[in-house]
Amino acid sequence: EVQLVQSGGDLVQAGGSLRLSCTTSEVTFDGYALTWFRQAPGKEREGVSCIRSAVGTTYYADSVKGRFTISYDFAKNTVYLQMNNLKPEDTAVYYCAAGFPSRLPGRENEYDYWGQGTSVTVSS
């Protein structure tokens, strides 16, 4: 089973920044939609940001627009999520996923591969 490898989660103060990374050596991301989901305590998992690697189309949830930036490095087969001006409500476990959703961010069952999750905690 293909496992995406995530890194970058941490504990930061409100207003701070983090960059999450997601990569794998088992499949190439080229052509996939790459999405960052997050799940806060007691809440459902939600799609935060997506990029269609082939065309560069992006999606951002309203709650993160203007603060988060998703990017894809073809040479490194890695998708990133740059998170700036973090807020306590961004606290969650973040998951990367690769798949072919009909629209962004799509449903979880439209994604083939998932990362292990990485914790982001933002203190006030």
Side-chain angles (χ1 to χ4, degrees):
E1 183 175 340
V2 174
Q3 180 70 57
L4 308 185
V5 179
Q6 298 179 219
S7 60
D10 207 342
L11 167 64
V12 296
Q13 290 187 333
S17 298
L18 284 174
R19 188 177 77 160
L20 306 183
S21 302
C22 173
T23 189
T24 180
S25 60
E26 299 176 75
V27 296
T28 178
F29 284 154
D30 193 37
Y32 281 86
L34 307 169
T35 295
W36 288 96
F37 290 86
R38 70 183 180 187
Q39 187 165 22
K43 295 188 177 181
E44 293 186 355
R45 190 151 53 183
E46 62 171 342
V48 172
S49 183
C50 320
I51 185 168
R52 291 197 184 275
S53 61
V55 295
T57 306
T58 58
Y59 161 89
Y60 295 95
D62 287 343
S63 58
V64 305
K65 280 181 182 176
R67 301 188 298 121
F68 290 12
T69 303
I70 192 169
S71 60
Y72 165 62
D73 187 325
F74 171 78
K76 295 182 178 181
N77 202 45
T78 300
V79 59
Y80 301 96
L81 185 67
Q82 178 66 44
M83 305 185 293
N84 297 328
N85 190 22
L86 282 161
K87 303 177 180 180
E89 51 263 43
D90 295 317
T91 294
V93 177
Y94 285 71
Y95 300 88
C96 63
F100 298 97
S102 56
R103 60 178 182 172
L104 302 181
R107 301 182 303 274
E108 292 181 34
N109 62 7
E110 294 181 291
Y111 288 85
D112 300 318
Y113 308 119
W114 288 82
Q116 80 276 18
T118 187
S119 181
V120 172
T121 303
V122 184
S123 63
S124 57

